[in-house]
């Protein structure tokens, strides 16, 4: 399934890419010689089709990181792909792939959570220049404490309180209150809906 979607995605960018060998390899065990050979054919065909850099982005990688088959395929691709193929893995958990050699060869760039969050100074600029709100420093500090500088949290905060007087914002933050609609909708769609039924019931 993973390989079939991968092939279809590449075909959207490079229609001449066939990828039938990858479809065949689905029926084979990757640990066998045949499975590895099929992946070599796949990479060779891909290298022959692309005439520019190709960036492969796999978002929400934490959903498949328990799959040993997918990890084996990606480890093989990272070790044998042409320099024109660049892989971006986005995950909410550490990525369990063999990356030490790439690190040693300076072919790996890691962007961690600490580098993604906004600092207090960046939060002030975001609110003033992008959100077009002039909140007092104490309120900005409180917003940063609540969101820890994550841009999605800062954006939701702005949606929830953009047109509310500062005094009313403090009242909301200083006592229990109903979640503003943008925040409630985000938590429902992005957090609650993806939970297993046992946790939802709990």
């Amino acid at each position: 399934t993973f390989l079939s979607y991968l092939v279809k995605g590449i075909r959207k960018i490079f229609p001449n890419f066939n990828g039938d060998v990858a479809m065949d390899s689905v029926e084979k065990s990757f640990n066998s010689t045949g499975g590895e050979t099929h992946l070599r054919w796949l990479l060779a065909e891909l290298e022959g089709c692309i005439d520019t850099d190709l960036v492969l982005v796999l978002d929400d990688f934490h959903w498949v990181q328990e799959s040993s088959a997918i990890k084996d395929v990606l480890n093989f691709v990272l070790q044998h792909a042409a320099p024109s193929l660049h892989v971006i893995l986005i995950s909410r958990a550490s990525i369990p792939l063999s990356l030490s050699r790439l690190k040693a060869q300076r072919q790996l760039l890691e962007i961690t959570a600490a580098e993604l969050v906004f600092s207090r100074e960046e939060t002030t600029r975001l609110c003033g220049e992008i959100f077009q709100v002039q909140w007092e420093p104490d309120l900005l500090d409180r917003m940063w404490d609540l969101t820890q500088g994550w841009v999605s949290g800062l954006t939701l905060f702005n949606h929830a309180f953009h047109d509310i007087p500062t005094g009313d914002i403090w009242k909301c933050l200083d006592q229990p209150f109903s979640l503003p609609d943008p925040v409630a909708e985000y938590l429902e769609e992005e957090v609650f809906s993806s939970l297993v039924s046992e946790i939802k019931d709990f």
Side-chain angles (χ1 to χ4, degrees):
T1 301
F2 173 76
L3 284 174
S4 65
Y5 278 107
L6 179 60
V7 169
K8 290 176 183 178
I10 295 175
R11 280 177 180 163
K12 290 182 179 180
I13 309 300
F14 300 100
N16 293 330
F17 175 62
N18 190 335
D20 286 340
V21 292
M23 312 307 289
D24 293 339
S25 70
V26 172
E27 303 299 328
K28 299 180 180 292
S29 168
F30 176 76
N31 293 324
S32 69
T33 304
E36 184 173 306
T37 300
H38 277 71
L39 283 174
R40 289 186 185 275
W41 289 346
L42 170 66
L43 293 177
E45 182 183 356
L46 179 60
E47 186 174 359
C49 288
I50 62 177
D51 53 6
T52 183
D53 286 350
L54 173 63
V55 179
L56 170 64
V57 181
L58 301 178
D59 198 359
D60 290 332
F61 187 75
H62 50 276
W63 287 112
V64 297
Q65 66 180 12
E66 298 301 322
S67 169
S68 59
I70 292 178
K71 287 189 288 187
D72 288 343
V73 168
L74 284 176
N75 276 324
F76 187 88
V77 169
L78 291 173
Q79 292 174 20
H80 298 93
S84 55
L85 176 63
H86 309 278
V87 180
I88 297 177
L89 302 175
I90 305 172
S91 175
R92 295 185 182 182
S94 59
I95 297 175
L97 296 178
S98 302
L99 303 174
S100 57
R101 184 175 63 85
L102 295 176
K103 290 181 182 179
Q105 296 176 345
R106 298 171 60 88
Q107 294 181 325
L108 176 71
L109 174 63
E110 288 184 283
I111 302 176
T112 64
E115 295 166 301
L116 290 174
V117 298
F118 279 44
S119 67
R120 293 176 186 269
E121 292 181 0
E122 291 168 334
T123 297
T124 300
R125 289 188 58 192
L126 176 71
C127 291
E129 298 177 15
I130 305 301
F131 296 161
Q132 298 292 305
V133 292
Q134 300 298 325
W135 285 323
E136 60 189 41
D138 288 348
L139 180 57
L140 289 172
D141 286 342
R142 181 66 183 279
M143 178 176 67
W144 189 92
D145 289 335
L146 290 170
T147 62
Q148 293 298 298
W150 285 102
V151 67
S152 56
L154 296 170
T155 302
L156 289 171
F157 194 102
N158 174 62
H159 281 305
F161 298 115
H162 187 87
D163 297 320
I164 297 178
T166 301
D168 292 339
I169 297 176
W170 278 114
K171 290 179 182 178
C172 289
L173 298 181
D174 289 337
Q175 59 187 0
F177 65 98
S178 300
L179 288 174
D181 288 342
V183 179
E185 291 168 1
Y186 179 86
L187 293 176
E188 167 66 26
E189 296 172 6
E190 298 296 326
V191 180
F192 187 76
S193 63
S194 64
L195 297 176
V196 297
S197 58
E198 292 81 1
I199 296 179
K200 288 182 180 179
D201 293 340
F202 174 80

